[in-house]
Amino acid sequence: MSETMPLHQALGMTDDEYGTVCDLLSRPPTEAELAMYSVMWSEHCSYKSSRAFLGRFPTTAPWVVVGPGENAGVVDLGDGWLAALRIESHNHPSFVEPYQGAATGVGGILRDIFTMGARPIALWDQIRFGPLDDPHNRYLLEGVVAGVAGYGNAVGVPTVGGEVAFEECYAGNPLVNVMCLGIMREEQLVLGTAGTPGTIAILLGSSTGRDGIGGASVLASASFDAGSDTKRPTVQVGDPFEEKKLIEACLELYDRGLVVGVQDLGAAGLSCATSEPAARAGTGMDVNLDAVHVREAGMTAAELLMSESQERMMAFVHPSKVDEVLAVASKWEIDASVVGTVTAGDTLRISHNNQVVAELPAASLSEAAPILRRDSGEPFWLEDLWTNTLEYLQPPDITRCLLEILADPSIGDPSWVYEQYDHQLFLNTVVGPGDNGSLLRIKGTNKALAVSTDGNGRQCYLDPMRGGANLVYEAALNVAMLGAKPMAVVDNLNFGNPEKSEVMWQFIETVEGMSQACENLGIPVVGGNVSFYNETDEADIYPTPIVGVLGLADPAPRSVPRLNRAEAGMALWMFGPKNSRNLAGSSFEKIIKGHVGGRPTGADSTTGKAVIELAVALAQNELVPVMHDISDGGAAVTVSEICIASNVGAHLQYSSWIGLFAEAPHRIIAAVPPEHFTAVRRLAEDLGVPVSELGEFGGDRISFDNPVAGATSVSVDKAAEAWRGAIRSRMSH
Amino acid sequence: MADTRTVTVTIRRRPSISDPQGATVARALRDLGHEVTDVRIDKTIELQVPDGDVETIRARVAEMCDRLLANPVMEDYEILVSS
Amino acid sequence: MNTAVVVFPGSNCEHDVVYALETLGGSADLVWHRDTDLSGYDSVVLPGGFAHGDYLRTGAIARFSPVMGEVNRLAAAGAPVLGICNGFQVLCEAGLLPGVLLQNRDLKFICRPIHLRVESTDSILTRAARVGDVLEIPLNSYEGNYTASADEIASIETGGYVPLRYSSSTGTVDTDSNPNGSTNNIAAVSKSNVAGIMPHPERAIEEILGSADGRVLLESFLQSRVAVNV
């Protein structure tokens, strides 16, 4: 940073943006004001590159109580119950400091949920790294998993699912996305509003220090290059113990009706937690920084306003309730300071050392933020990529390929990861990690909530629109196979540098594909997050949207389909489109051939929807004990995973070997008991879903049989050994 | 052993980085009636390294700190080579 | 009569314990760690979690919580006192049980179901069980590695203070069935009316969540309540 660089540039603002601020204020901003605008107008906080396109998402449905724009989306579960959900990324902080980066990611997403009044009941973590043969990637995986575990387990919110994947493009830029779900009674819903003039602002939780200053705008927006380990930016440190106390204190405040609004302090800290609630309420606010409880002396106003110290919340309280709020804070042993008063008008006035250091329209920090329409254009290499397909003259050795794929860390057993997470706390976890998705009961009701989070960067790289749509169908199908009807989507859009036109094109295509799928399925997007600048040395990551779908099973099936319920004598059927012959973007081509090319099969809106309806009906009527969708690795892997989980063999007829490894969407493998053949066939026929009777379960080998090529098989034990060692064997040294 | 030397490395979080453990222990000590204004909890690592020139040893241990023992993003370290 | 379930700042299994005890016909209240009056309670559970953040050492700060005076008094009066997971660590740190719980052998948090073999029915955890029964119970801890001095281990073993050991699903107690490195596969320790257990019986009371094998342990606890002169 050169000494002659103007302050606004040092804070990451363009000259245009600086000019806008001067126009807004009709004068040059003070240092404190500039600090506030710089963090609030950063990519991370303002979504300036993406906002113009996010409006494409469908966001409404009768059951949506709170859509995008608040701290979390909220949907109505019936009978007075609400669910709050949200997903966030902590990619850049996790690369700089994997343990604390992941830990503070968990802490942040939890605050988004309990800010709404809900008790967080479960977390999902979606993590992606470079290949595990590089020790640095092992270090990052180890650190991120320990960070999620260290924070999540201690704060007392179970991590019940997620996904881990490995791909070269994430080596210099791992992805760490965390989703959280909370539930509440409808009367507990709290919004991030400052209320009416006279309302008192109370800062709760940790003291404010210099940690993470500029983190939001610097870390989340700056790309990594080889020198980034010498930049040594300040990282935030999480304290799950403080967060646990903060959760309990806030829930008690809501229970007792002591607050009119609440806002968590995340990126942009006090700048955001004062301006946004005031903007939402259409008010102003007087804030006294001298009242803020601090960790170190001598902090400047700008530092106080930008600090990203963790585990802090701002509560807005009627003057008559201030003493009670302070008493609740004291009971839970958290610090609390009265820092502000809501005022009439729209001016946010901030004082420090008894002087006014900032005076600006509260809403200007969020609403006047720039909206960029960056250039977008189809990548020049796209056509070449689509025509770059492999020709197969000879069929491969099927079982050898299968074993190799099962032993791949992106496909194999993820239990090395999830056994480090408490996934059972609260006694709600009916189906936990390692299955199609997660199913959580709501005690005292017949309801259960299903969640699946899914991503597939390789497919989105080959075709972002198809890839984006397929992801929504996949996550919705995973939820449906647990007997739940998909009802809402949250997404985390991880992309490269938006200043490149091809990255913006990928982004826009992805949003379009996802939107079409959501519209077709009638499920709104209730919240999301965008993470740009995921690149290293100018190489962008694959466009990697992560989709989380929430579904409601009401009533929950008594006996939920699971991978481990197949038994000898059950038939092995496939539901969905037949004769998939496309290996583009498949795990087979990536793992066996080292090839990424071609164009993946797109969604079929009619069949896609029908298969989801069929899955819900099969699960609800308890007709099939096992369903598992065909995704990474194709049908051969799907069948193997069922056989490994159930410890039973299978015999499968196939017409083309390619069909065993193709990953086309909308397909389910099921174990069907003979007594339900008729009912299952009829249900599929009514919904127009093709049924393929591929074989049966039994014995102790997984065998693939073709009229021409004959049969080939592998023992379940051998498949299990390959699958179980995929991550574990690489991490144990 | 005559041909090794003890090196003690103290790793501290930077003053600007919060130390939740220290803060909690400070609170507990105050609860027990002790007058304590702040607590920081550090890490001490004791190494046995082949004996040699003190400055060379110090440089080698500094490299260990930079690469592995400390996280340069949030921690400082102090190296004490026994005489 | 009621069971007091103690909530330290950082506890997190307290609601699950109350739910489990009530499901099994008991009644339980949450009591805050600053409470200094547990009259009216005939039994105590210290639940799992991370009391005081587990900072310094697990249980090190919790043992000084104001409520511990009452826990000591009830223990001395013969009331059943059960520590689960972090609660077990607190009881050890407070000197109500011998030994200490160190970091797991592999230095990783472990959350998965494990098997326990019933070694003795002379404890508040196992009086309703049968010796040789194998129970499937979830383990969920980072510091679950039970250790004590050789003398202490000898006296624990000769005194018959080990009601449960980690085992295979068929009841074999060996290194392979030891998830965390605990000495002699010790999963629980019991001295007269005070017991600590590392796995979570309250997570295994309903088949829908995977196992109901924890019922017999918590039923034993509830059956152990006697009229306490409080």
Side-chain angles (χ1 to χ4, degrees):
Chain A
M1 194 183 301
S2 113
E3 283 176 24
T4 55
M5 185 188 268
L7 183 60
H8 69 270
Q9 284 180 14
L11 289 168
M13 280 182 108
T14 65
D15 294 344
D16 280 355
E17 287 167 352
Y18 182 75
T20 309
V21 172
C22 294
D23 290 347
L24 269 167
L25 300 176
S26 309
R27 59 175 166 81
T30 65
E31 188 181 296
E33 287 166 343
L34 198 57
M36 295 173 83
Y37 282 107
S38 76
V39 288
M40 291 296 289
W41 289 8
S42 67
E43 186 66 58
H44 184 73
C45 291
S46 73
Y47 294 83
K48 57 188 166 192
S49 301
S50 57
R51 203 142 47 119
F53 307 99
L54 295 173
R56 171 65 184 92
F57 284 134
T59 58
T60 55
W63 55 88
V64 175
V65 179
V66 177
E70 275 276 352
N71 292 300
V74 177
V75 293
D76 190 343
L77 306 175
D79 305 315
W81 288 94
L82 305 179
L85 61 160
R86 163 114 192 177
I87 190 167
E88 266 275 4
S89 62
H90 241 213
N91 305 338
H92 296 93
S94 299
F95 181 73
V96 174
E97 214 306 297
Y99 185 99
Q100 294 297 343
T104 52
V106 172
I109 193 75
L110 290 172
R111 288 192 294 283
D112 284 327
I113 296 300
F114 72 83
T115 298
M116 304 300 294
R119 178 179 282 280
I121 61 163
L123 293 158
W124 288 261
D125 72 322
Q126 270 283 345
I127 52 181
R128 283 170 163 67
F129 303 89
L132 286 180
D133 26 330
D134 181 339
H136 191 70
N137 295 330
R138 293 201 296 272
Y139 155 81
L140 289 173
L141 171 65
E142 185 107 32
V144 164
V145 171
V148 172
Y151 201 100
N153 297 352
V155 77
V157 179
T159 302
V160 302
E163 196 171 60
V164 55
F166 305 88
E167 197 86 59
E168 287 77 359
C169 67
Y170 307 119
N173 195 312
L175 300 187
V176 177
N177 292 184
V178 189
M179 177 178 162
C180 186
L181 174 70
I183 55 171
M184 65 185 133
R185 299 293 302 165
E186 59 192 358
E187 58 275 10
Q188 286 174 310
L189 178 66
V190 187
L191 297 178
T193 172
T196 51
T199 304
I200 303 297
I202 302 179
L203 182 62
L204 300 169
S206 285
S207 52
T208 299
R210 284 197 177 92
D211 48 349
I213 285 175
S217 53
V218 178
L219 283 186
S221 307
S223 307
F224 289 120
D225 51 52
S228 75
D229 54 336
T230 60
K231 273 187 198 156
R232 301 187 177 183
T234 315
V235 295
Q236 310 116 305
V237 172
D239 180 5
F241 174 53
E242 184 74 19
E243 179 112 328
K244 168 70 175 169
K245 294 187 291 180
L246 195 55
I247 292 176
E248 299 301 335
C250 287
L251 292 177
E252 183 171 338
L253 294 179
Y254 309 150
D255 259 358
R256 293 171 51 185
L258 295 177
V259 295
V260 296
V262 168
Q263 174 74 36
D264 72 306
L265 280 80
L270 277 168
S271 300
C272 177
T274 50
S275 65
E276 283 198 352
R280 290 195 191 106
T283 62
M285 200 185 307
D286 285 349
V287 178
N288 176 15
L289 294 180
D290 300 319
V292 172
H293 48 285
V294 293
R295 193 148 60 226
E296 48 198 313
M299 291 178 70
T300 66
E303 287 174 329
L304 288 162
L305 288 162
M306 293 170 87
S307 165
E308 293 184 3
S309 290
Q310 300 288 296
E311 290 94 25
R312 297 179 298 162
M313 298 282 270
M314 188 74 88
F316 295 93
V317 180
H318 190 271
S320 66
K321 302 279 175 63
V322 169
D323 289 345
E324 278 178 85
V325 170
L326 296 178
V328 169
S330 154
K331 172 193 157 183
W332 288 102
E333 301 174 16
I334 58 172
D335 290 330
S337 309
V338 173
V339 297
T341 307
V342 176
T343 55
D346 65 354
T347 303
L348 179 59
R349 190 177 298 104
I350 293 176
S351 60
H352 185 229
N353 294 334
N354 299 314
Q355 284 184 328
V356 173
V357 291
E359 195 164 18
L360 43 82
S364 69
L365 286 166
S366 45
E367 285 157 25
I371 295 181
L372 304 178
R373 281 204 163 263
R374 295 190 185 276
D375 290 342
S376 75
E378 191 179 293
F380 67 90
W381 38 260
L382 191 69
E383 292 286 338
D384 286 348
L385 197 59
W386 285 353
T387 53
N388 182 16
T389 54
L390 294 185
E391 298 239 8
Y392 296 94
L393 303 173
Q394 291 284 328
D397 179 336
I398 289 172
T399 50
R400 189 188 57 78
C401 292
L402 174 61
L403 288 174
E404 205 174 321
I405 295 171
L406 288 173
D408 187 87
S410 295
I411 304 279
D413 179 12
S415 64
W416 182 90
V417 175
Y418 68 70
E419 282 182 0
Q420 297 185 53
Y421 303 150
D422 182 348
H423 48 264
Q424 300 165 320
L425 188 71
F426 299 147
L427 310 182
N428 297 327
T429 314
V430 178
V431 177
D435 220 293
N436 290 310
S438 326
L439 190 70
L440 304 166
R441 66 173 175 179
I442 302 178
K443 288 199 283 283
T445 74
N446 293 321
K447 299 175 200 295
L449 292 169
V451 168
S452 178
T453 62
D454 293 280
N456 188 336
R458 206 162 54 230
Q459 278 207 9
C460 293
Y461 165 65
L462 293 175
D463 191 324
M465 190 182 304
R466 288 185 178 182
N470 285 351
L471 274 184
V472 173
Y473 284 107
E474 180 181 347
L477 183 56
N478 281 331
V479 158
M481 289 185 293
L482 297 167
K485 206 173 164 310
M487 67 186 309
V489 174
V490 289
D491 61 81
N492 202 116
L493 306 173
N494 305 282
F495 284 77
N497 184 343
E499 293 157 32
K500 295 183 197 165
S501 65
E502 69 213 47
V503 171
M504 277 317 291
W505 178 85
Q506 290 171 331
F507 181 81
I508 295 164
E509 289 279 300
T510 301
V511 170
E512 180 60 31
M514 289 173 58
S515 297
Q516 288 177 8
C518 289
E519 281 166 350
N520 184 49
L521 295 174
I523 47 175
V525 174
V526 297
N529 177 58
V530 180
S531 171
F532 277 129
Y533 297 98
N534 292 290
E535 60 173 351
T536 308
D537 295 331
E538 305 222 341
D540 296 298
I541 60 159
Y542 287 162
T544 312
I546 302 296
V547 170
V549 169
L550 171 72
L552 173 65
D554 190 7
R558 280 167 305 137
S559 183
V560 185
R562 289 170 188 268
L563 300 195
N564 64 3
R565 293 180 59 207
E567 288 172 20
M570 292 179 180
L572 193 168
W573 289 6
M574 184 186 82
F575 305 114
K578 302 183 181 194
N579 302 322
S580 299
R581 295 286 181 270
N582 182 2
L583 289 175
S586 66
S587 302
F588 178 89
E589 288 203 339
K590 175 70 207 291
I591 295 163
I592 306 294
K593 301 289 177 187
H595 179 80
V596 177
R599 196 174 181 197
T601 308
D604 171 332
S605 58
T606 311
T607 311
K609 191 172 180 180
V611 169
I612 287 167
E613 283 168 14
L614 176 66
V616 175
L618 290 173
Q620 279 288 340
N621 295 310
E622 301 183 17
L623 291 171
V624 294
V626 181
M627 278 190 272
H628 191 20
D629 71 319
I630 297 176
S631 61
D632 299 348
V637 166
T638 305
V639 171
S640 301
E641 286 174 345
I642 296 170
C643 290
I644 293 166
S646 301
N647 197 22
V648 65
H651 183 88
L652 169 76
Q653 323 264 350
Y654 69 93
S655 49
S656 157
W657 70 267
I658 291 180
L660 293 174
F661 297 106
E663 299 178 9
H666 318 311
R667 297 179 303 151
I668 303 172
I669 296 284
V672 188
E675 64 270 27
H676 293 152
F677 282 175
T678 316
V680 172
R681 272 197 206 102
R682 189 179 309 132
L683 206 49
E685 198 173 306
D686 287 351
L687 289 163
V689 175
V691 178
S692 309
E693 302 183 12
L694 299 179
E696 65 279 319
F697 289 94
D700 57 7
R701 300 185 74 80
I702 307 168
S703 75
F704 304 92
D705 197 352
N706 175 271
V708 181
T712 174
S713 71
V714 59
S715 72
V716 175
D717 285 348
K718 202 166 172 197
E721 192 190 327
W723 181 78
R724 292 209 172 97
I727 295 177
R728 211 170 282 275
S729 69
R730 289 172 170 88
M731 295 305 289
S732 62
H733 51 104
Chain B
M1 279 188 287
D3 52 350
T4 68
R5 201 191 276 259
T6 305
V7 182
T8 308
V9 179
T10 305
I11 296 172
R12 295 194 176 89
R13 286 189 179 185
R14 298 232 173 94
S16 63
I17 300 282
S18 74
D19 177 11
Q21 178 165 230
T24 305
V25 171
R27 188 189 284 266
L29 287 171
R30 283 195 290 267
D31 275 358
L32 292 173
H34 298 288
E35 284 183 25
V36 177
T37 53
D38 193 22
V39 173
R40 302 285 291 184
I41 297 179
D42 303 329
K43 255 185 281 191
T44 306
I45 300 172
E46 207 173 274
L47 308 162
Q48 301 295 330
V49 299
D51 201 2
D53 172 56
V54 171
E55 283 317 304
T56 314
I57 291 175
R58 189 184 299 280
R60 220 177 293 137
V61 173
E63 195 194 325
M64 296 180 204
C65 290
D66 290 334
R67 294 278 312 265
L68 176 70
L69 300 178
N71 183 342
V73 168
M74 53 193 277
E75 291 168 332
D76 294 324
Y77 55 83
E78 206 176 277
I79 297 169
L80 185 74
V81 183
S82 70
S83 48
Chain C
M1 289 294 271
N2 256 341
T3 302
V5 177
V6 176
V7 185
F8 298 99
S11 297
N12 61 30
C13 297
E14 68 271 21
H15 294 288
D16 294 357
V17 170
V18 170
Y19 173 84
L21 292 177
E22 288 179 347
T23 302
L24 298 176
S27 62
D29 293 329
L30 299 177
V31 301
W32 184 234
H33 79 122
R34 292 199 180 273
D35 288 356
T36 49
D37 179 10
L38 296 189
S39 56
Y41 294 100
D42 63 1
S43 48
V44 179
V45 176
L46 306 187
F50 292 73
H52 296 278
D54 269 359
Y55 292 136
L56 212 54
R57 295 183 307 281
T58 58
I61 299 175
R63 64 170 289 206
F64 290 113
S65 275
V67 76
M68 289 306 288
E70 281 291 273
V71 173
N72 276 303
R73 186 182 60 76
L74 280 164
V81 173
L82 172 62
I84 301 172
C85 194
N86 192 228
F88 185 10
Q89 294 159 346
V90 175
L91 291 177
C92 289
E93 190 74 30
L96 283 164
L97 289 173
V100 62
L101 291 134
L102 301 178
Q103 292 171 331
N104 294 336
R105 181 183 50 208
D106 297 337
L107 299 179
K108 290 215 160 28
F109 195 94
I110 299 173
C111 180
R112 64 180 158 90
I114 46 80
H115 293 92
L116 301 176
R117 189 178 75 189
V118 177
E119 300 287 290
S120 130
T121 56
D122 183 21
S123 87
I124 61 165
L125 267 172
T126 51
R127 69 175 35 174
R130 281 174 314 193
V131 171
D133 279 352
V134 176
L135 311 175
E136 186 184 314
I137 312 274
L139 182 67
N140 185 69
S141 51
Y142 183 69
E143 276 122 342
N145 179 355
Y146 185 81
T147 308
S149 68
D151 288 353
E152 274 181 310
I153 293 292
S155 83
I156 290 166
E157 293 289 2
T158 53
Y161 299 150
V162 182
L164 296 160
R165 284 183 216 276
Y166 299 110
S167 76
S168 71
S169 60
T170 52
T172 309
V173 173
D174 58 11
T175 312
D176 286 347
S177 57
N178 187 338
N180 51 23
S182 292
T183 306
N184 295 353
N185 286 40
I186 293 172
V189 174
S190 166
K191 269 188 120 168
S192 62
N193 54 316
V194 179
I197 178 171
M198 187 43 54
H200 288 262
E202 83 279 10
R203 295 188 177 192
I205 58 156
E206 291 165 286
E207 287 293 348
I208 190 177
L209 299 182
S211 168
D213 291 353
R215 296 178 84 107
V216 70
L217 301 178
L218 293 180
E219 280 163 356
S220 296
F221 171 76
L222 289 172
Q223 286 168 22
S224 302
R225 290 175 300 172
V226 289
V228 178
N229 189 10
V230 286

